[in-house]
Amino acid sequence: MDDRAAPGPGGGGRPALNGSRAGDVQESPGGPGGRAADLHGLSAREIEVMSLIAGGQTNGEIAAHLFLAEKTVKNHVRRIYSKLGVGSRPAAIAYWRRVRGSADE
């Protein structure tokens, strides 16, 4: 007889595959500087990716920095553009700098 508990939501004491993990960054609506309302519902990972984009990094550089596949970064970028209502990298960077700059004042 096997006494091991099944992993996942039903047992095993571990979170489901899509659950949070130790070290995950969670930004609450009232997070640092209360800026979440200005960020159009970006996830913590999307905020991280957008910050790297604004810093001038390419998708490949971002992927290497975050230990992700480049395709995953491209998906994040696509969702960021959609949430920010922009259609290009320069427009996203300009928007990001404007929003982040006004939040720091």
Side-chain angles (χ1 to χ4, degrees), residues 53 81 86-96:
I53 289 170
Y81 289 1
V86 299
S88 68
R89 202 173 195 94
I93 292 169
Y95 177 87
W96 189 253

Side-chain angles (χ1 to χ4, degrees), residues 22-33:
D24 278 355
V25 176
Q26 299 292 325
E27 187 159 330
S28 64

Side-chain angles (χ1 to χ4, degrees), residues 1-102:
M1 190 109 206
D2 192 355
D3 292 328
R4 291 179 285 171
R14 294 186 294 176
L17 291 177
N18 62 351
S20 62
R21 298 175 301 241
D24 278 355
V25 176
Q26 299 292 325
E27 187 159 330
S28 64
R35 292 178 250 167
D38 298 331
L39 300 178
H40 294 277
L42 296 181
S43 70
R45 180 61 100 180
E46 290 165 346
I47 291 168
E48 189 173 19
V49 169
M50 189 59 229
S51 294
L52 294 169
I53 289 170
Q57 293 192 22
T58 66
N59 288 354
E61 291 168 337
I62 294 168
H65 181 82
L66 299 177
F67 303 100
L68 299 171
E70 191 168 352
K71 176 68 174 169
T72 302
V73 173
K74 288 179 183 179
N75 286 331
H76 284 308
V77 171
R78 180 181 46 80
R79 284 192 306 275
I80 290 166
Y81 289 1
S82 175
K83 289 179 180 181
L84 297 183
V86 299
S88 68
R89 202 173 195 94
I93 292 169
Y95 177 87
W96 189 253
R97 288 181 178 160
R98 188 171 56 250
V99 169
R100 299 296 274 200
S102 65

